[in-house]
Amino acid sequence: MGTIINGREKAKETREEIKNFVADRIKASKRVPSLATVLIGEDGGSISYMNNQTKLCNELGLIPKNIKLKEDVLESEVIKLIHQLNEDYSIDGIIIQLPLPKHLNEKNITSAISHKKDVDCLTDINMGKLYKGEQSFIPCTPQSILHLIKSTGINISGKNAVIIGRSNIVGKPTAQLLLNENATVTVCHSKTVNLKEICSNADILVAAIGRPGFVTREFIKEGSVIIDVGTSMVEGKIAGDVNFEEAMEKAAFVTPVPGGVGAMTTTMLMKNTCEAMMRNAY
Amino acid sequence: MGTIINGREKAKETREEIKNFVADRIKASKRVPSLATVLIGEDGGSISYMNNQTKLCNELGLIPKNIKLKEDVLESEVIKLIHQLNEDYSIDGIIIQLPLPKHLNEKNITSAISHKKDVDCLTDINMGKLYKGEQSFIPCTPQSILHLIKSTGINISGKNAVIIGRSNIVGKPTAQLLLNENATVTVCHSKTVNLKEICSNADILVAAIGRPGFVTREFIKEGSVIIDVGTSMVEGKIAGDVNFEEAMEKAAFVTPVPGGVGAMTTTMLMKNTCEAMMRNAY
């Protein structure tokens, strides 16, 4: 019987660290980190994300700066705003809520963010640094995944890590982070032929494909660590990529959905904002 | 008995394409591509590389611009020169010969190259684009590797590709290129535990570790494609990472050393320079 990796609990620990960090800054009469969030239009998911971020900023002592722009704002105006935020010494991190309204070019807009304030790791420069193994912001989901794997206490070096999914925001950067930790890393995807066989040799298995319950007992190696990044909606409930009960039968550690990876990501955004402040050092 | 992948022959084919491209430009009274090479100091290897590049430029009709700087040049002067080359409309590609003299910071200097002229893919921006799967310059060695694999006519999609070595200039970008071609990709390295077993399941095996003759018959799957990126010096001769005779016994296709990957790289630099001209379109 496996052990549940409790994402909510781990997130709470990290939040305590951030709280203490901010409290120490206040005691020392230093300024506290600030996160600017740009919301364009009225996307329900984005509004909910922004509200969560604001709430967490307030809880931890960071300063949230929310900027709402109209649905029909010109691209040039958005970019001008981002440049102002880049220059603004009171802002440490910048988040643009995605998806954007259709008339706006996501690439043009995210590229305008200074790589020094790109706490979501959307710019080419930060992505390049991440792959070179240089100091860079680590995107929040992969960072949460690595944190939860490490929280089990296993030694990642030399382990076979298999990632199902190769997105730019989850699969590829997670592969890179595990490679940096000296895992032997395999990236699988929709064209992979012998998926079950490959997964069943994985000491660490990360599922990030968005197919509810796809990973069943035959995919799972005895005593392994299973990280479920799936967040599909099934009958009004959030569902992971892993069959949780079957995973718990064979694996040593399993993240639940909800309460696993997803429970950590906004906390990691706060952590990145603190890091941005320390790195930019003003 | 395997078939030798003849890198010299494949390079010749690509060179013919470049020659025709340049000849067509001349016929149409258009300007031809130009490659600026910056050499600092007197490193023997670097001088030899630069001479090879110049020779190949001349052979194909590209314009070489060689700039030699003294060993003790100031970093600020090198960066100023690079900025001038970035602004110079008559230059399409910029190469800085590495290694640099010790007093110069490689990161500061390579970062100064405009990503539009970075034909060696040294900048963070181009590395980031490569990993996101966006249009970017592909570093010459990984590009040669992919070209030689494709030249065998095999369908890469769904194949198990294993790369031994995780350097920023060979292993990591090669993994990315093969992932873009829909291979299932595993990256192995010095900390990998069951290396032989993993390699022996590889339909495509890329060895890039610099250990002469390391890959023997037990590493090789029957009917596979073996790409040898090793270039060690053994008793005054260049030696690959693969035991060539043993590979030829089991694999379907094998690159020799010399005359394999290494025979293509300078040609790929010329190809990137032509692409830089077409993309920047002036």
Side-chain angles (χ1 to χ4, degrees), chain A residues 40 239 253:
Chain A
I40 306 170
F253 297 95

Side-chain angles (χ1 to χ4, degrees), chain A residues 1-192:
Chain A
M1 187 69 183
T3 301
I4 296 175
I5 305 175
N6 190 330
R8 290 198 184 102
E9 210 170 82
K10 297 298 160 196
K12 208 173 157 189
E13 289 167 16
T14 303
R15 286 204 295 271
E16 282 306 311
E17 288 168 24
I18 298 172
K19 251 189 223 173
N20 290 338
F21 168 81
V22 174
D24 285 349
R25 303 245 342 149
I26 293 172
K27 261 188 230 158
S29 303
K30 289 178 176 168
R31 73 176 194 81
V32 298
S34 168
L35 175 66
T37 302
V38 180
L39 172 72
I40 306 170
E42 302 285 343
D43 181 82
S46 294
I47 292 172
S48 150
Y49 273 122
M50 191 171 74
N51 290 342
N52 283 340
Q53 286 164 19
T54 305
K55 204 176 133 196
L56 194 50
C57 276
N58 288 329
E59 183 189 327
L60 304 184
L62 283 78
I63 300 170
K65 176 166 180 171
N66 294 342
I67 300 156
K68 292 181 188 175
L69 299 175
K70 284 190 179 157
E71 180 87 26
D72 62 354
V73 65
L74 289 175
E75 190 168 298
S76 58
E77 289 178 56
V78 181
I79 289 174
K80 195 177 154 194
L81 167 72
I82 294 172
H83 287 159
Q84 285 166 355
L85 294 171
N86 287 343
E87 300 287 312
D88 184 342
Y89 286 166
S90 74
I91 300 292
D92 300 292
I94 302 170
I95 285 280
I96 313 291
Q97 297 293 349
L98 302 177
L100 297 171
K102 280 185 185 151
H103 69 289
L104 299 173
N105 182 315
E106 184 177 315
K107 178 82 193 156
N108 293 346
I109 287 179
T110 55
S111 301
I113 302 171
S114 161
H115 70 94
K116 295 181 175 178
K117 300 190 177 186
D118 173 30
V119 286
D120 217 10
C121 195
L122 294 172
T123 60
D124 293 337
I125 290 186
N126 280 329
M127 190 68 113
K129 285 179 186 293
L130 178 70
Y131 280 99
K132 284 181 173 175
E134 292 174 11
Q135 191 189 58
S136 154
F137 293 110
I138 301 171
C140 299
T141 302
Q143 189 173 176
S144 303
I145 292 169
L146 185 64
H147 187 83
L148 293 179
I149 295 170
K150 285 186 171 177
S151 79
T152 66
I154 70 154
N155 179 9
I156 299 174
S157 179
K159 294 287 190 301
N160 287 330
V162 173
I163 293 143
I164 324 178
R166 52 173 164 171
S167 72
N168 285 332
I169 54 166
V170 181
K172 289 185 197 170
T174 301
Q176 196 47 55
L177 293 180
L178 288 168
L179 193 58
N180 291 351
E181 298 287 333
N182 296 324
T184 301
V185 179
T186 301
V187 180
C188 298
H189 44 78
S190 55
K191 305 287 183 192
T192 294

